[in-house]
């Protein structure tokens, strides 16, 4: 039976946010959905106030400003940071939340890059091992270190929003956090959700269609925030070991997992590793159901653990 589709959209985390609910076409269900939309908006506002590196009163800012002292934070913040650390470890340092001392040195909107001296100084304080979480207390063992949760927060948030919708009794929905997509159940036609993987290379028609019923699809790409300097493309996916944009033969990597945290946590690493090493990395992670890499020519390279997602 076809369901009625109700959508809400707003702006948060510097991204457009979209929530799609599939419900029965009744006044009571619509009122229920509007209430759920308000809850999702309130959660997003709360999470942004906690996790943003640029909001001076956020938990993340307070941790970064604490000069190495332990900071009492929200259980949400402690949970997210604890959840992020294993992805740093599995990446071998290719993904590192303490790259927060590097990211402020770059301005991709204004096309500003740091000096080598600035990078060398900041790199001394990068290392996810410098982060400790004890209950709801977070401490940076290096007073000059800093965290940036921008590379994983949306995955954690998407999972929390999905849990909130399930608790409200919704079984069929899609959460889109600016390209980070979480699905549950089916679309309004009672079919799997169909997600179009973007191929950023102009003039290329090849672009995978992903059919999912209970999975998250997350793309990391060098084309999303970048500028060109002296003929060199400088993108926002930074290598925590060099401080410069990661050198990769992939312009995008799309990861599909059941949990959005996994898809988000692995997507940056997969892109930074490049196509060959990235596919091998995906094969070693049991959480990854499938992956798509796209190179500068627009060619798609896929990896799939299963035919059914």
């Amino acid at each position: 039976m076809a369901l009625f589709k109700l959508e809400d959209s707003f702006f948060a985390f510097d991204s457009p946010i979209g929530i799609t609910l599939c419900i029965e076409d009744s006044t009571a269900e619509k009122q229920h959905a509007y209430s759920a939309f308000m809850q999702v908006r309130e959660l997003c506002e709360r999470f942004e106030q906690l996790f943003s590196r640029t909001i001076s009163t956020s938990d993340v800012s307070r941790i970064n400003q604490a000069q190495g002292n332990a900071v009492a934070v929200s259980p949400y913040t402690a949970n997210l940071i604890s959840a992020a650390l294993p992805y740093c470890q599995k990446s071998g340092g290719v993904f590192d939340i303490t790259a927060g001392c590097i990211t402020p040195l770059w301005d991709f909107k204004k096309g500003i890059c740091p000096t080598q001296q600035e990078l060398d100084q900041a790199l001394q304080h990068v290392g996810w091992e410098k982060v400790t979480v004890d209950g709801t207390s977070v401490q940076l063992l290096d007073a000059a270190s800093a965290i940036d949760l921008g590379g994983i927060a949306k995955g954690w948030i998407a999972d929390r929003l999905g849990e909130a919708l399930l608790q409200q009794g919704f079984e069929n929905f899609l959460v889109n956090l600016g390209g980070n997509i979480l699905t549950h159940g089916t679309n309004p036609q009672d079919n799997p959700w169909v997600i179009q993987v973007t191929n950023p290379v102009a003039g290329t028609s090849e672009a995978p269609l992903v059919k999912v019923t209970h999975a998250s699809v997350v793309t990391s790409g060098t084309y999303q925030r970048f500028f060109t300097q002296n003929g060199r493309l400088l993108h926002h996916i930074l290598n925590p070991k060099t401080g410069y944009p990661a050198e990769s033969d992939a312009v995008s990597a799309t990861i599909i997992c059941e949990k959005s945290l996994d898809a988000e946590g692995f997507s940056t690493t997969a892109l930074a590793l490049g196509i060959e090493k990235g596919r091998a990395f995906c094969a070693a992670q049991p959480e990854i159901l499938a992956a798509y890499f796209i190179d500068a020519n627009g060619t798609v390279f896929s990896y799939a653990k299963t035919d059914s997602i």
Side-chain angles (χ1 to χ4, degrees), residues 68-130:
N69 293 310
V71 178
V73 298
S74 161
Y76 290 131
T77 307
N79 183 282
L80 170 53
I81 293 174
S82 294
L85 294 176
Y87 297 95
C88 299
Q89 181 180 24
K90 290 180 181 180
S91 76
V94 174
F95 170 71
D96 194 318
I97 61 171
T98 62
C101 33
I102 299 173
T103 49
L105 301 176
W106 292 84
D107 190 328
F108 292 93
K109 292 181 179 179
K110 296 181 179 179
I112 298 174
C113 61
T115 65
Q116 187 62 54
Q117 183 179 0
E118 289 174 323
L119 284 177
D120 289 342
Q121 184 175 358
L123 287 169
Q124 298 175 40
H125 308 291
V126 174
W128 61 270
E129 302 92 343
K130 304 174 189 291

Side-chain angles (χ1 to χ4, degrees), residues 3 6 18-23 37 158-176 181-188 193 195 212-215:
L3 295 172
L6 205 60
I19 310 295
T20 302
L21 298 178
C22 301
I23 61 174
F37 287 151
D159 287 334
R160 300 294 81 74
L161 299 183
E163 290 171 357
L165 292 173
L166 287 170
Q167 289 171 1
Q168 288 279 353
F170 297 99
E171 291 289 339
N172 305 290
F173 57 80
L174 182 147
V175 174
N176 186 346
I181 296 173
L182 174 72
T183 67
H184 194 279
T186 56
N187 68 12
W193 296 95
I195 311 300
V212 289
T213 54
H214 180 37

